Amino acid sequence: MEPHYLNIQNLKVTIFQAYLFWENIEKNLQNIGLRLQGGVREKTDLIVLPEMFNTGFTMKSEALAEEMDGKTMQWIKKTAASYDCVVTGSLMIKEDGKYYNRMVWVKPDGSHQHYDKHHLFGLGDEDKHFSPGKEPVIVELKGWKIRLAICYDLRFPVWLRNKDTAYDILLLVASWPDKRSSHWRTLIHARAIENQSYVIGVNRVGHDGNQVYHSGHSMCIDPLGNTVYYKPEDEDLYTFSVNYTELEKIRRQFPFLKDSDDFEIN
């Protein structure tokens, strides 16, 4: 009998390292829609958009947050159906009187899962405007197990530890500023190597409404720390593949995860 990993196909991932229009939902959805229409030229399994892709990283939650049946979710569902793929990214969501920085995972049939950002960025007062998510979330696509994460989560290796080989890809959407881009690049490589997984980080570009500059540096790093994709500075729409057989080969050759410490997160 063939090992199961030989039956798992490569995953095609399309990332959009976008320039975002500050606090302008209509303009962002229109721009992203046009860029996807002109730039997605092959069948893809997954489209990944940055953190708060419809507004930019603003703290105006009361004014701009939507509910789960709002305009942006309807747009995402339509986009997923149109490209027959999963679409993911984060946006501000109001639910039960609270606000969340929520990463949604929307399938072509309109069904969805979500992850609420666990580590809120205190330096930017995110913790004063949003409630933290409590649970890690792993989704599945074509046999791949994918751990969802948002921006500041990258700094917390215990939260993202690949315990019991629970995931194959760590997928991170972000609004990470240029002045700490060296941290971003270093930590993404570290998370890939220590967790023996692919790490895909999708950032934004350009200045936001607070005149904070974002230089992108979106990337995909393989479990050995090699670069599959990397783009600094410019807006970019790009599709690449990740290889499951290669992932399993690396884990068999270097079985480091089996020696990791056992722990619980309370």
Side-chain angles (χ1 to χ4, degrees):
M1 185 176 177
E2 286 188 341
H4 80 285
Y5 60 83
L6 294 178
N7 298 316
I8 297 180
Q9 300 173 20
N10 288 0
L11 196 69
K12 275 194 175 181
V13 181
T14 299
I15 70 96
F16 185 26
Q17 177 170 279
Y19 175 85
L20 301 179
F21 297 93
W22 188 243
E23 298 177 351
N24 193 327
I25 294 173
E26 195 70 44
K27 199 167 184 179
N28 281 313
L29 298 184
Q30 182 181 47
N31 178 59
I32 294 169
L34 288 171
R35 288 300 310 275
L36 293 178
Q37 188 176 24
V40 180
R41 298 186 177 91
E42 58 184 303
K43 179 69 176 73
T44 189
D45 300 306
L46 174 63
I47 293 172
V48 188
L49 306 174
E51 179 181 23
M52 292 194 188
F53 67 88
N54 63 337
T55 59
F57 188 68
T58 173
M59 296 299 101
K60 289 186 180 177
S61 52
E62 291 187 19
L64 294 169
E66 301 179 13
E67 297 187 352
M68 285 296 283
D69 59 353
K71 176 191 296 184
T72 301
M73 278 297 291
Q74 295 302 321
W75 177 89
I76 298 172
K77 289 179 180 180
K78 183 178 178 181
T79 303
S82 177
Y83 291 94
D84 189 30
C85 72
V86 171
V87 177
T88 189
S90 96
L91 67 157
M92 292 184 281
I93 290 291
K94 180 180 180 180
E95 188 173 82
D96 299 328
K98 294 182 179 180
Y99 298 95
Y100 299 95
N101 184 347
R102 177 166 291 178
M103 186 175 179
V104 294
W105 177 267
V106 181
K107 300 176 184 179
D109 64 2
S111 63
H112 53 85
Q113 295 167 263
H114 69 261
Y115 163 71
D116 292 331
K117 188 176 184 180
H118 181 64
H119 294 95
L120 300 177
F121 187 53
L123 190 61
D125 289 338
E126 188 178 16
D127 56 329
K128 293 181 173 64
H129 298 273
F130 295 88
S131 296
K134 302 296 185 184
E135 300 295 331
V137 174
I138 294 174
V139 295
E140 188 167 317
L141 181 58
K142 292 178 68 174
W144 291 76
K145 294 172 290 183
I146 303 171
R147 173 74 183 266
L148 305 183
I150 304 175
C151 203
Y152 195 42
D153 287 328
L154 180 62
R155 289 187 178 272
F156 302 93
V158 175
W159 177 247
L160 298 177
R161 187 63 171 158
N162 197 4
K163 194 171 178 225
D164 301 322
T165 323
Y167 64 81
D168 308 308
I169 298 172
L170 173 59
L171 180 60
L172 186 87
V173 299
S175 185
W176 196 286
D178 173 69
K179 57 189 171 184
R180 291 187 293 280
S181 64
S182 64
H183 299 190
W184 165 264
R185 297 192 301 273
T186 301
L187 293 171
I188 285 181
H189 278 83
R191 297 297 88 84
I193 294 166
E194 72 194 8
N195 291 303
Q196 292 195 304
S197 75
Y198 287 96
V199 177
I200 300 171
V202 179
N203 197 19
R204 62 158 296 177
V205 292
H207 288 89
D208 66 17
N210 296 316
Q211 293 307 302
V212 174
Y213 179 63
H214 304 78
S215 53
H217 300 278
S218 296
M219 67 182 80
C220 174
I221 305 300
D222 79 8
L224 289 177
N226 299 314
T227 301
V228 176
Y229 163 80
Y230 174 62
K231 183 68 175 180
E233 299 299 339
D234 301 318
E235 191 173 67
D236 194 37
L237 181 69
Y238 189 78
T239 300
F240 56 85
S241 293
V242 289
N243 186 300
Y244 198 89
T245 303
E246 184 64 23
L247 170 68
E248 286 292 327
K249 179 182 175 183
I250 292 167
R251 287 174 172 174
R252 289 196 313 275
Q253 287 181 332
F254 306 105
F256 301 142
L257 288 177
K258 73 177 181 62
D259 298 323
S260 61
D261 300 300
D262 191 26
F263 64 90
E264 298 284 342
I265 297 179
N266 296 319

